[in-house]
Amino acid sequence: MRKRFLRLLPGFLVLLLWPLGIAAKKPRAPPGCAPWCPRNSVCINAIACRCHPGFSSWSGEIITSPVDSCDDINECEPPLAVSCGKFADCQNVDGSHYCTCSPGYGLVSGATTFRNESENTCQDVDECSSRQHRCHNSTACINTVGSYRCRCRRGWTPLPGFQDNQNTTVCEEMSFPTWTPPPGIQSQCLSGFFERVQDLRRRFTPASAQDTVQDLIQSVDELLKAPGDLETLALPDRHHTVTHLLSGLEEVLRTLAKAMPGASFTYQSPAGTELSLVIQEQGHGNVTLGQSHARMLLDWAVAAGSAGSGPAVAGILSNPNMQKLLANASLELDPERQAKLEETHESPLYGVQWRLLSAVNSVFLSNTNTTKLDPKVTFAFSHPPEKPGTRQELICAFWKGADDGGGHWATSGCWTLGSWNNSTTCQCSHLSSFAVLMAHYDVQEEDPMLAVITHVGLSLSLLCLLLAALTFLLCRAIQNTSTSLHLQLSLCLFLAHLLFLTAMDRTEIQVLCSVIAGALHYLYLASFTWMLLAGLHLFLTARNLTVVNYSSVSRFMKKLMFPVGYGVPAVIVAISAASRPDLYGTPTRCWLRSESGFIWGFLGPVCAIFSVNLAFFLMTLWILKSRLSLLNSDVSTLQNTRMLTFKATAQLFILGCTWCLGILQVGPAAHVMAYFFTIINSLQGVSIFLVYCLLSQQVREQYGKWLKRVRKTKADSETFTLSSRTMSDASRPFMVN
């Protein structure tokens, strides 16, 4: 047992002496210093320590607590944020920091680090010339500020899945785009053309791009100069072929242009087709290109677009040989232009005949998103001298492909800026294939018979309205609320019709024409407002027959009619004139323009009024029918029934309900409805005079009294004249011969 204890004794001694050895290795604090100073600090005295430079504690630079510590200060972050200058980054380390140039930049001295902004000499490193790039051998290295990019070589294109101008770009040699015949078109000439295209595709190399383009244009010329069986195709198939040729040709030329060796290229074929190309790596500002058929001015930013994939291409191909295939294609005018034409000619537009004047000019760019361009592209198209005749206009049109593969001419997004001698300038907000057309508009000529009916009917209405107004003013026996309403209606209609007949065509002075249009707007709205009040009064009168409360209707209408009759139209006209004063007066009539829906400042209230009046009229008839059915059958004779029916029908004219015929002037029956509308509404004044004057027993009796008075006055005048003559004869001396 004792021997065993002696054998274990050295191990116990080692364990006991181990802590003493460690304590002996740790340096003792100098006399008078705090033994607890933390790491990265230095002793000051027995109760305080100081952090090393680049370190700090939560209590500051001086530490007085054994639990405190000295932590690294990050000089690269706020609040210190050491500035290393341009193209440099701050790097923090324990107790210090240093600056390095940003990736793609290096110090002039070749060193890798520096301390502060004053030592900054960072400049761009040309990775391409220093061969520090990783571009694939199918690309060319392009140095950029702070970096580089790899771009496909001229005549090469990125592999599928890669993008050009990236550090990882990999390219392959460019190939001729796939271009096949349009489906469903049976034509030997077209098949022969596409056989030549396939032959060009098989033989194509980027080095032969220029020759391939010239051969392709000549092949297109041969097809268009002798289209053969293409001319016998049905119109939809022929226009389908045109759309396919134009779009395919643009795509092929856009692709092959990127393999051209120079910065520009022009070519004129023996058949007169012209091609102009501009190819630029980087460009800015405006660029002009074109030849004798057409010239184009565009901003280079439009040509390049936002992708920036290799050199940007802008080109225009002018082909003067497409008339045969484009024959009988339709022309679609944009709605604003059509509305303006219909307003100018004051007639619906039934069709447009056109004639191709210029070459068909196809524009193609590297930027394929050309539907809404800003800034717009300007064109100058050459054509034989032409002077537009009556209802003719030189317009800029473009070939618009349809969803079914066909196409037609259209004008939306293009504006004609002007024509001089043998050139027309246009501006467009999109790109396609453009041409100048001579458009002849088929509009309905003004019917002279309608003009005669209008003048005769309105003249008769003016006479009847004047007689009705005088009757309402002078005949005391019929003066009541209804008479007052129809008096104001007669006055407004009289003034409106008089101004219409005498001043509607006074378009010589713009300001005067606008004033006349505003006055007509107000007078006709006031007339319709009085029609509405008349319809309301008629309905209330019929309704109150069942309750014998006519006096309340009279009081209500007297308070309401003048503020509404003249105030509401004034508010509508004031708002219209304040919002768009320039839309009063058209080139041929002093009336409201239809642009921007301005005409609805008149049509809206009128449609609402005749709809409400029609409802009032039908409800009045229903009330009267119910009321008359309660009376004795002897009360209503056949003659009275006919008279009531006639007066009820006449109310449709007086209340303006027949103005709804104007809405029906569409389609094949438009001409007939125009006659109905003109005849019926020009005799509205006659209806008022007939119903409220000639068919009124009280008015007829008053007319009789006035007639007797006139006859009596005439008789007294004749008696006085005869008596005066007798006395004169008696006063003469008697003479004997």
Side-chain angles (χ1 to χ4, degrees), residues 165-209:
N165 289 315
Q166 304 294 320
N167 292 349
T168 58
T169 300
V170 179
C171 307
E172 64 179 348
E173 199 171 30
M174 182 182 296
S175 61
F176 193 101
T178 302
W179 192 13
T180 58
I185 306 299
Q186 302 297 326
S187 167
Q188 291 184 354
C189 290
L190 195 62
S191 299
F193 167 76
F194 278 101
E195 287 178 1
R196 292 192 294 275
V197 169
Q198 296 307 315
D199 183 59
L200 290 174
R201 185 172 186 270
R202 285 189 295 269
R203 294 187 290 108
F204 172 76
T205 61
S208 65

mmCIF file of all heavy atoms in Angstrom, residues 165-209:
data_model
loop_
_atom_site.group_PDB
_atom_site.id
_atom_site.type_symbol
_atom_site.label_atom_id
_atom_site.label_comp_id
_atom_site.label_asym_id
_atom_site.label_seq_id
_atom_site.Cartn_x
_atom_site.Cartn_y
_atom_site.Cartn_z
ATOM 1 N N ASN A 165 -22.268 42.147 -74.650
ATOM 2 C CA ASN A 165 -21.742 43.198 -73.774
ATOM 3 C C ASN A 165 -21.745 42.800 -72.309
ATOM 4 O O ASN A 165 -21.981 43.635 -71.428
ATOM 5 C CB ASN A 165 -22.527 44.505 -73.958
ATOM 6 C CG ASN A 165 -22.229 45.153 -75.294
ATOM 7 O OD1 ASN A 165 -21.070 45.238 -75.695
ATOM 8 N ND2 ASN A 165 -23.265 45.587 -75.983
ATOM 9 N N GLN A 166 -21.538 41.544 -72.038
ATOM 10 C CA GLN A 166 -21.375 41.065 -70.665
ATOM 11 C C GLN A 166 -19.966 40.484 -70.512
ATOM 12 O O GLN A 166 -19.312 40.134 -71.491
ATOM 13 C CB GLN A 166 -22.426 39.987 -70.338
ATOM 14 C CG GLN A 166 -23.867 40.426 -70.558
ATOM 15 C CD GLN A 166 -24.282 41.513 -69.603
ATOM 16 O OE1 GLN A 166 -23.934 41.473 -68.430
ATOM 17 N NE2 GLN A 166 -25.034 42.477 -70.105
ATOM 18 N N ASN A 167 -19.489 40.352 -69.278
ATOM 19 C CA ASN A 167 -18.161 39.768 -69.051
ATOM 20 C C ASN A 167 -18.106 38.281 -69.388
ATOM 21 O O ASN A 167 -17.027 37.709 -69.541
ATOM 22 C CB ASN A 167 -17.736 39.975 -67.595
ATOM 23 C CG ASN A 167 -17.478 41.447 -67.286
ATOM 24 O OD1 ASN A 167 -17.426 42.264 -68.196
ATOM 25 N ND2 ASN A 167 -17.321 41.772 -66.019
ATOM 26 N N THR A 168 -19.314 37.676 -69.485
ATOM 27 C CA THR A 168 -19.377 36.228 -69.750
ATOM 28 C C THR A 168 -19.872 35.912 -71.156
ATOM 29 O O THR A 168 -20.236 34.773 -71.444
ATOM 30 C CB THR A 168 -20.294 35.564 -68.718
ATOM 31 O OG1 THR A 168 -21.596 36.162 -68.797
ATOM 32 C CG2 THR A 168 -19.744 35.734 -67.314
ATOM 33 N N THR A 169 -19.926 36.910 -72.031
ATOM 34 C CA THR A 169 -20.493 36.719 -73.365
ATOM 35 C C THR A 169 -19.683 35.706 -74.177
ATOM 36 O O THR A 169 -18.445 35.758 -74.196
ATOM 37 C CB THR A 169 -20.545 38.055 -74.120
ATOM 38 O OG1 THR A 169 -21.349 38.970 -73.384
ATOM 39 C CG2 THR A 169 -21.125 37.874 -75.515
ATOM 40 N N VAL A 170 -20.409 34.789 -74.834
ATOM 41 C CA VAL A 170 -19.796 33.845 -75.777
ATOM 42 C C VAL A 170 -20.594 33.944 -77.076
ATOM 43 O O VAL A 170 -21.837 33.945 -77.056
ATOM 44 C CB VAL A 170 -19.816 32.399 -75.236
ATOM 45 C CG1 VAL A 170 -19.189 31.446 -76.244
ATOM 46 C CG2 VAL A 170 -19.094 32.317 -73.899
ATOM 47 N N CYS A 171 -19.928 34.034 -78.207
ATOM 48 C CA CYS A 171 -20.597 34.308 -79.478
ATOM 49 C C CYS A 171 -20.344 33.205 -80.497
ATOM 50 O O CYS A 171 -19.439 32.374 -80.341
ATOM 51 C CB CYS A 171 -20.112 35.646 -80.057
ATOM 52 S SG CYS A 171 -20.250 37.029 -78.905
ATOM 53 N N GLU A 172 -21.170 33.244 -81.532
ATOM 54 C CA GLU A 172 -21.002 32.352 -82.670
ATOM 55 C C GLU A 172 -21.132 33.165 -83.943
ATOM 56 O O GLU A 172 -21.689 34.275 -83.931
ATOM 57 C CB GLU A 172 -22.056 31.231 -82.642
ATOM 58 C CG GLU A 172 -23.473 31.731 -82.778
ATOM 59 C CD GLU A 172 -24.489 30.608 -82.765
ATOM 60 O OE1 GLU A 172 -24.068 29.447 -82.874
ATOM 61 O OE2 GLU A 172 -25.703 30.900 -82.662
ATOM 62 N N GLU A 173 -20.684 32.634 -85.042
ATOM 63 C CA GLU A 173 -20.713 33.360 -86.294
ATOM 64 C C GLU A 173 -22.160 33.593 -86.735
ATOM 65 O O GLU A 173 -23.017 32.715 -86.608
ATOM 66 C CB GLU A 173 -19.944 32.584 -87.367
ATOM 67 C CG GLU A 173 -19.537 33.444 -88.548
ATOM 68 C CD GLU A 173 -18.595 32.697 -89.477
ATOM 69 O OE1 GLU A 173 -18.697 31.456 -89.557
ATOM 70 O OE2 GLU A 173 -17.751 33.349 -90.103
ATOM 71 N N MET A 174 -22.448 34.827 -87.215
ATOM 72 C CA MET A 174 -23.807 35.209 -87.607
ATOM 73 C C MET A 174 -24.280 34.369 -88.780
ATOM 74 O O MET A 174 -23.498 34.015 -89.682
ATOM 75 C CB MET A 174 -23.814 36.691 -87.983
ATOM 76 C CG MET A 174 -25.177 37.242 -88.363
ATOM 77 S SD MET A 174 -25.028 38.980 -88.847
ATOM 78 C CE MET A 174 -24.485 39.711 -87.311
ATOM 79 N N SER A 175 -25.604 34.067 -88.767
ATOM 80 C CA SER A 175 -26.197 33.308 -89.873
ATOM 81 C C SER A 175 -27.319 34.124 -90.503
ATOM 82 O O SER A 175 -27.865 35.041 -89.894
ATOM 83 C CB SER A 175 -26.738 31.962 -89.378
ATOM 84 O OG SER A 175 -27.746 32.170 -88.396
ATOM 85 N N PHE A 176 -27.656 33.780 -91.728
ATOM 86 C CA PHE A 176 -28.746 34.426 -92.451
ATOM 87 C C PHE A 176 -30.066 34.071 -91.764
ATOM 88 O O PHE A 176 -30.339 32.898 -91.514
ATOM 89 C CB PHE A 176 -28.744 33.942 -93.897
ATOM 90 C CG PHE A 176 -29.599 34.738 -94.836
ATOM 91 C CD1 PHE A 176 -29.032 35.666 -95.686
ATOM 92 C CD2 PHE A 176 -30.980 34.552 -94.878
ATOM 93 C CE1 PHE A 176 -29.819 36.392 -96.563
ATOM 94 C CE2 PHE A 176 -31.769 35.265 -95.747
ATOM 95 C CZ PHE A 176 -31.195 36.193 -96.593
ATOM 96 N N PRO A 177 -30.929 35.057 -91.421
ATOM 97 C CA PRO A 177 -32.183 34.738 -90.719
ATOM 98 C C PRO A 177 -33.071 33.808 -91.537
ATOM 99 O O PRO A 177 -33.061 33.826 -92.780
ATOM 100 C CB PRO A 177 -32.848 36.110 -90.532
ATOM 101 C CG PRO A 177 -31.748 37.096 -90.679
ATOM 102 C CD PRO A 177 -30.775 36.498 -91.643
ATOM 103 N N THR A 178 -33.845 33.018 -90.841
ATOM 104 C CA THR A 178 -34.796 32.125 -91.505
ATOM 105 C C THR A 178 -35.938 32.939 -92.084
ATOM 106 O O THR A 178 -36.579 33.731 -91.387
ATOM 107 C CB THR A 178 -35.344 31.093 -90.514
ATOM 108 O OG1 THR A 178 -34.256 30.349 -89.964
ATOM 109 C CG2 THR A 178 -36.327 30.157 -91.195
ATOM 110 N N TRP A 179 -36.196 32.773 -93.372
ATOM 111 C CA TRP A 179 -37.260 33.516 -94.060
ATOM 112 C C TRP A 179 -37.952 32.553 -95.007
ATOM 113 O O TRP A 179 -37.389 32.145 -96.012
ATOM 114 C CB TRP A 179 -36.676 34.708 -94.803
ATOM 115 C CG TRP A 179 -37.719 35.682 -95.290
ATOM 116 C CD1 TRP A 179 -39.019 35.736 -94.941
ATOM 117 C CD2 TRP A 179 -37.509 36.735 -96.237
ATOM 118 N NE1 TRP A 179 -39.653 36.753 -95.590
ATOM 119 C CE2 TRP A 179 -38.751 37.402 -96.390
ATOM 120 C CE3 TRP A 179 -36.406 37.193 -96.950
ATOM 121 C CZ2 TRP A 179 -38.905 38.497 -97.248
ATOM 122 C CZ3 TRP A 179 -36.565 38.289 -97.790
ATOM 123 C CH2 TRP A 179 -37.798 38.934 -97.939
ATOM 124 N N THR A 180 -39.158 32.168 -94.675
ATOM 125 C CA THR A 180 -39.905 31.178 -95.447
ATOM 126 C C THR A 180 -41.101 31.834 -96.119
ATOM 127 O O THR A 180 -41.527 32.930 -95.725
ATOM 128 C CB THR A 180 -40.390 30.042 -94.530
ATOM 129 O OG1 THR A 180 -41.198 30.598 -93.481
ATOM 130 C CG2 THR A 180 -39.207 29.302 -93.916
ATOM 131 N N PRO A 181 -41.689 31.195 -97.136
ATOM 132 C CA PRO A 181 -42.851 31.778 -97.821
ATOM 133 C C PRO A 181 -44.034 31.917 -96.868
ATOM 134 O O PRO A 181 -44.155 31.184 -95.881
ATOM 135 C CB PRO A 181 -43.146 30.764 -98.934
ATOM 136 C CG PRO A 181 -41.883 29.998 -99.105
ATOM 137 C CD PRO A 181 -41.242 29.943 -97.764
ATOM 138 N N PRO A 182 -44.933 32.854 -97.139
ATOM 139 C CA PRO A 182 -46.131 33.004 -96.297
ATOM 140 C C PRO A 182 -47.019 31.778 -96.433
ATOM 141 O O PRO A 182 -47.218 31.266 -97.550
ATOM 142 C CB PRO A 182 -46.807 34.263 -96.855
ATOM 143 C CG PRO A 182 -46.291 34.393 -98.248
ATOM 144 C CD PRO A 182 -44.898 33.839 -98.226
ATOM 145 N N PRO A 183 -47.544 31.272 -95.353
ATOM 146 C CA PRO A 183 -48.370 30.054 -95.439
ATOM 147 C C PRO A 183 -49.670 30.305 -96.185
ATOM 148 O O PRO A 183 -50.290 31.361 -96.072
ATOM 149 C CB PRO A 183 -48.637 29.721 -93.959
ATOM 150 C CG PRO A 183 -48.474 31.018 -93.235
ATOM 151 C CD PRO A 183 -47.433 31.785 -93.973
ATOM 152 N N GLY A 184 -50.058 29.310 -96.959
ATOM 153 C CA GLY A 184 -51.349 29.363 -97.646
ATOM 154 C C GLY A 184 -51.352 30.130 -98.942
ATOM 155 O O GLY A 184 -52.408 30.245 -99.580
ATOM 156 N N ILE A 185 -50.224 30.704 -99.380
ATOM 157 C CA ILE A 185 -50.164 31.471 -100.626
ATOM 158 C C ILE A 185 -49.545 30.585 -101.712
ATOM 159 O O ILE A 185 -48.397 30.139 -101.587
ATOM 160 C CB ILE A 185 -49.329 32.758 -100.457
ATOM 161 C CG1 ILE A 185 -49.858 33.587 -99.291
ATOM 162 C CG2 ILE A 185 -49.333 33.566 -101.742
ATOM 163 C CD1 ILE A 185 -51.272 34.051 -99.453
ATOM 164 N N GLN A 186 -50.322 30.341 -102.761
ATOM 165 C CA GLN A 186 -49.867 29.502 -103.865
ATOM 166 C C GLN A 186 -49.456 30.394 -105.028
ATOM 167 O O GLN A 186 -50.291 31.025 -105.670
ATOM 168 C CB GLN A 186 -50.985 28.545 -104.302
ATOM 169 C CG GLN A 186 -51.496 27.637 -103.196
ATOM 170 C CD GLN A 186 -50.421 26.695 -102.686
ATOM 171 O OE1 GLN A 186 -49.555 26.250 -103.463
ATOM 172 N NE2 GLN A 186 -50.461 26.391 -101.394
ATOM 173 N N SER A 187 -48.135 30.495 -105.265
ATOM 174 C CA SER A 187 -47.631 31.341 -106.350
ATOM 175 C C SER A 187 -46.273 30.816 -106.792
ATOM 176 O O SER A 187 -45.360 30.643 -105.980
ATOM 177 C CB SER A 187 -47.513 32.796 -105.878
ATOM 178 O OG SER A 187 -46.767 33.557 -106.801
ATOM 179 N N GLN A 188 -46.141 30.568 -108.107
ATOM 180 C CA GLN A 188 -44.867 30.098 -108.637
ATOM 181 C C GLN A 188 -43.802 31.188 -108.557
ATOM 182 O O GLN A 188 -42.637 30.914 -108.242
ATOM 183 C CB GLN A 188 -45.046 29.642 -110.083
ATOM 184 C CG GLN A 188 -45.870 28.369 -110.235
ATOM 185 C CD GLN A 188 -45.931 27.898 -111.681
ATOM 186 O OE1 GLN A 188 -45.448 28.582 -112.584
ATOM 187 N NE2 GLN A 188 -46.531 26.732 -111.898
ATOM 188 N N CYS A 189 -44.187 32.440 -108.836
ATOM 189 C CA CYS A 189 -43.222 33.542 -108.768
ATOM 190 C C CYS A 189 -42.702 33.698 -107.341
ATOM 191 O O CYS A 189 -41.491 33.894 -107.132
ATOM 192 C CB CYS A 189 -43.871 34.841 -109.229
ATOM 193 S SG CYS A 189 -44.230 34.892 -110.992
ATOM 194 N N LEU A 190 -43.592 33.592 -106.376
ATOM 195 C CA LEU A 190 -43.179 33.746 -104.981
ATOM 196 C C LEU A 190 -42.304 32.568 -104.548
ATOM 197 O O LEU A 190 -41.321 32.749 -103.816
ATOM 198 C CB LEU A 190 -44.414 33.858 -104.087
ATOM 199 C CG LEU A 190 -44.186 34.377 -102.668
ATOM 200 C CD1 LEU A 190 -43.626 35.793 -102.707
ATOM 201 C CD2 LEU A 190 -45.486 34.351 -101.871
ATOM 202 N N SER A 191 -42.652 31.375 -105.006
ATOM 203 C CA SER A 191 -41.826 30.206 -104.678
ATOM 204 C C SER A 191 -40.428 30.344 -105.264
ATOM 205 O O SER A 191 -39.423 30.015 -104.607
ATOM 206 C CB SER A 191 -42.496 28.930 -105.208
ATOM 207 O OG SER A 191 -43.759 28.739 -104.605
ATOM 208 N N GLY A 192 -40.331 30.852 -106.522
ATOM 209 C CA GLY A 192 -39.018 31.064 -107.129
ATOM 210 C C GLY A 192 -38.198 32.093 -106.361
ATOM 211 O O GLY A 192 -36.981 31.940 -106.196
ATOM 212 N N PHE A 193 -38.852 33.128 -105.877
ATOM 213 C CA PHE A 193 -38.143 34.147 -105.094
ATOM 214 C C PHE A 193 -37.571 33.534 -103.820
ATOM 215 O O PHE A 193 -36.393 33.771 -103.481
ATOM 216 C CB PHE A 193 -39.094 35.297 -104.764
ATOM 217 C CG PHE A 193 -38.567 36.236 -103.715
ATOM 218 C CD1 PHE A 193 -37.582 37.160 -104.017
ATOM 219 C CD2 PHE A 193 -39.047 36.175 -102.407
ATOM 220 C CE1 PHE A 193 -37.077 38.013 -103.046
ATOM 221 C CE2 PHE A 193 -38.553 37.032 -101.431
ATOM 222 C CZ PHE A 193 -37.565 37.957 -101.751
ATOM 223 N N PHE A 194 -38.349 32.749 -103.095
ATOM 224 C CA PHE A 194 -37.858 32.187 -101.843
ATOM 225 C C PHE A 194 -36.817 31.088 -102.069
ATOM 226 O O PHE A 194 -36.000 30.816 -101.187
ATOM 227 C CB PHE A 194 -39.023 31.679 -100.992
ATOM 228 C CG PHE A 194 -39.682 32.783 -100.210
ATOM 229 C CD1 PHE A 194 -40.870 33.342 -100.643
ATOM 230 C CD2 PHE A 194 -39.091 33.278 -99.059
ATOM 231 C CE1 PHE A 194 -41.469 34.367 -99.934
ATOM 232 C CE2 PHE A 194 -39.679 34.302 -98.341
ATOM 233 C CZ PHE A 194 -40.873 34.861 -98.781
ATOM 234 N N GLU A 195 -36.815 30.474 -103.258
ATOM 235 C CA GLU A 195 -35.721 29.554 -103.576
ATOM 236 C C GLU A 195 -34.401 30.319 -103.689
ATOM 237 O O GLU A 195 -33.351 29.861 -103.218
ATOM 238 C CB GLU A 195 -36.024 28.823 -104.884
ATOM 239 C CG GLU A 195 -37.112 27.766 -104.742
ATOM 240 C CD GLU A 195 -37.429 27.104 -106.069
ATOM 241 O OE1 GLU A 195 -36.767 27.472 -107.076
ATOM 242 O OE2 GLU A 195 -38.328 26.233 -106.110
ATOM 243 N N ARG A 196 -34.449 31.513 -104.302
ATOM 244 C CA ARG A 196 -33.238 32.339 -104.388
ATOM 245 C C ARG A 196 -32.811 32.815 -103.000
ATOM 246 O O ARG A 196 -31.612 32.909 -102.711
ATOM 247 C CB ARG A 196 -33.488 33.528 -105.317
ATOM 248 C CG ARG A 196 -33.666 33.141 -106.784
ATOM 249 C CD ARG A 196 -33.611 34.335 -107.708
ATOM 250 N NE ARG A 196 -34.737 35.240 -107.501
ATOM 251 C CZ ARG A 196 -35.932 35.106 -108.072
ATOM 252 N NH1 ARG A 196 -36.156 34.081 -108.898
ATOM 253 N NH2 ARG A 196 -36.884 35.968 -107.842
ATOM 254 N N VAL A 197 -33.781 33.115 -102.131
ATOM 255 C CA VAL A 197 -33.456 33.530 -100.764
ATOM 256 C C VAL A 197 -32.744 32.402 -100.018
ATOM 257 O O VAL A 197 -31.743 32.627 -99.318
ATOM 258 C CB VAL A 197 -34.733 33.967 -100.014
ATOM 259 C CG1 VAL A 197 -34.450 34.147 -98.524
ATOM 260 C CG2 VAL A 197 -35.283 35.255 -100.598
ATOM 261 N N GLN A 198 -33.237 31.171 -100.189
ATOM 262 C CA GLN A 198 -32.597 30.038 -99.515
ATOM 263 C C GLN A 198 -31.190 29.790 -100.054
ATOM 264 O O GLN A 198 -30.280 29.390 -99.308
ATOM 265 C CB GLN A 198 -33.461 28.774 -99.688
ATOM 266 C CG GLN A 198 -34.830 28.865 -99.029
ATOM 267 C CD GLN A 198 -34.731 29.256 -97.565
ATOM 268 O OE1 GLN A 198 -33.903 28.726 -96.818
ATOM 269 N NE2 GLN A 198 -35.584 30.189 -97.147
ATOM 270 N N ASP A 199 -31.012 30.052 -101.332
ATOM 271 C CA ASP A 199 -29.667 29.907 -101.901
ATOM 272 C C ASP A 199 -28.718 30.948 -101.302
ATOM 273 O O ASP A 199 -27.559 30.637 -100.976
ATOM 274 C CB ASP A 199 -29.741 30.053 -103.422
ATOM 275 C CG ASP A 199 -28.386 29.848 -104.083
ATOM 276 O OD1 ASP A 199 -27.801 28.768 -103.911
ATOM 277 O OD2 ASP A 199 -27.919 30.788 -104.751
ATOM 278 N N LEU A 200 -29.197 32.185 -101.143
ATOM 279 C CA LEU A 200 -28.383 33.217 -100.501
ATOM 280 C C LEU A 200 -28.071 32.834 -99.059
ATOM 281 O O LEU A 200 -26.972 33.092 -98.560
ATOM 282 C CB LEU A 200 -29.113 34.565 -100.533
ATOM 283 C CG LEU A 200 -29.260 35.242 -101.898
ATOM 284 C CD1 LEU A 200 -30.129 36.497 -101.776
ATOM 285 C CD2 LEU A 200 -27.891 35.618 -102.442
ATOM 286 N N ARG A 201 -29.024 32.230 -98.393
ATOM 287 C CA ARG A 201 -28.828 31.829 -96.995
ATOM 288 C C ARG A 201 -27.750 30.754 -96.881
ATOM 289 O O ARG A 201 -26.926 30.772 -95.964
ATOM 290 C CB ARG A 201 -30.149 31.332 -96.424
ATOM 291 C CG ARG A 201 -30.115 31.001 -94.938
ATOM 292 C CD ARG A 201 -31.522 30.711 -94.421
ATOM 293 N NE ARG A 201 -31.520 30.533 -92.982
ATOM 294 C CZ ARG A 201 -31.344 29.372 -92.368
ATOM 295 N NH1 ARG A 201 -31.180 28.265 -93.093
ATOM 296 N NH2 ARG A 201 -31.331 29.292 -91.060
ATOM 297 N N ARG A 202 -27.753 29.797 -97.811
ATOM 298 C CA ARG A 202 -26.762 28.715 -97.761
ATOM 299 C C ARG A 202 -25.358 29.243 -98.025
ATOM 300 O O ARG A 202 -24.385 28.764 -97.449
ATOM 301 C CB ARG A 202 -27.114 27.627 -98.778
ATOM 302 C CG ARG A 202 -28.292 26.747 -98.356
ATOM 303 C CD ARG A 202 -28.425 25.561 -99.301
ATOM 304 N NE ARG A 202 -28.759 25.987 -100.649
ATOM 305 C CZ ARG A 202 -29.997 26.108 -101.113
ATOM 306 N NH1 ARG A 202 -31.025 25.835 -100.319
ATOM 307 N NH2 ARG A 202 -30.223 26.502 -102.356
ATOM 308 N N ARG A 203 -25.227 30.236 -98.902
ATOM 309 C CA ARG A 203 -23.910 30.735 -99.290
ATOM 310 C C ARG A 203 -23.426 31.882 -98.409
ATOM 311 O O ARG A 203 -22.327 32.390 -98.598
ATOM 312 C CB ARG A 203 -23.947 31.203 -100.751
ATOM 313 C CG ARG A 203 -24.172 30.070 -101.746
ATOM 314 C CD ARG A 203 -24.043 30.533 -103.189
ATOM 315 N NE ARG A 203 -25.128 31.393 -103.628
ATOM 316 C CZ ARG A 203 -25.017 32.693 -103.850
ATOM 317 N NH1 ARG A 203 -23.861 33.304 -103.644
ATOM 318 N NH2 ARG A 203 -26.034 33.402 -104.261
ATOM 319 N N PHE A 204 -24.228 32.297 -97.432
ATOM 320 C CA PHE A 204 -23.904 33.502 -96.662
ATOM 321 C C PHE A 204 -22.755 33.270 -95.683
ATOM 322 O O PHE A 204 -22.672 32.232 -95.004
ATOM 323 C CB PHE A 204 -25.134 33.962 -95.874
ATOM 324 C CG PHE A 204 -24.836 35.069 -94.905
ATOM 325 C CD1 PHE A 204 -24.648 36.367 -95.354
ATOM 326 C CD2 PHE A 204 -24.706 34.812 -93.537
ATOM 327 C CE1 PHE A 204 -24.353 37.388 -94.472
ATOM 328 C CE2 PHE A 204 -24.421 35.833 -92.654
ATOM 329 C CZ PHE A 204 -24.244 37.129 -93.115
ATOM 330 N N THR A 205 -21.856 34.229 -95.626
ATOM 331 C CA THR A 205 -20.836 34.335 -94.573
ATOM 332 C C THR A 205 -20.800 35.802 -94.149
ATOM 333 O O THR A 205 -21.128 36.701 -94.947
ATOM 334 C CB THR A 205 -19.448 33.915 -95.076
ATOM 335 O OG1 THR A 205 -19.060 34.791 -96.148
ATOM 336 C CG2 THR A 205 -19.451 32.470 -95.542
ATOM 337 N N PRO A 206 -20.396 36.082 -92.916
ATOM 338 C CA PRO A 206 -20.336 37.488 -92.493
ATOM 339 C C PRO A 206 -19.465 38.348 -93.401
ATOM 340 O O PRO A 206 -19.755 39.531 -93.606
ATOM 341 C CB PRO A 206 -19.758 37.395 -91.077
ATOM 342 C CG PRO A 206 -20.181 36.051 -90.590
ATOM 343 C CD PRO A 206 -20.127 35.159 -91.786
ATOM 344 N N ALA A 207 -18.437 37.773 -93.969
ATOM 345 C CA ALA A 207 -17.562 38.556 -94.843
ATOM 346 C C ALA A 207 -18.261 38.951 -96.142
ATOM 347 O O ALA A 207 -17.882 39.936 -96.796
ATOM 348 C CB ALA A 207 -16.291 37.773 -95.150
ATOM 349 N N SER A 208 -19.286 38.193 -96.533
ATOM 350 C CA SER A 208 -19.989 38.480 -97.794
ATOM 351 C C SER A 208 -21.312 39.203 -97.557
ATOM 352 O O SER A 208 -22.187 39.188 -98.427
ATOM 353 C CB SER A 208 -20.244 37.171 -98.553
ATOM 354 O OG SER A 208 -21.140 36.341 -97.817
ATOM 355 N N ALA A 209 -21.488 39.822 -96.380
ATOM 356 C CA ALA A 209 -22.777 40.439 -96.039
ATOM 357 C C ALA A 209 -23.174 41.511 -97.042
ATOM 358 O O ALA A 209 -24.344 41.598 -97.453
ATOM 359 C CB ALA A 209 -22.709 41.028 -94.628
#
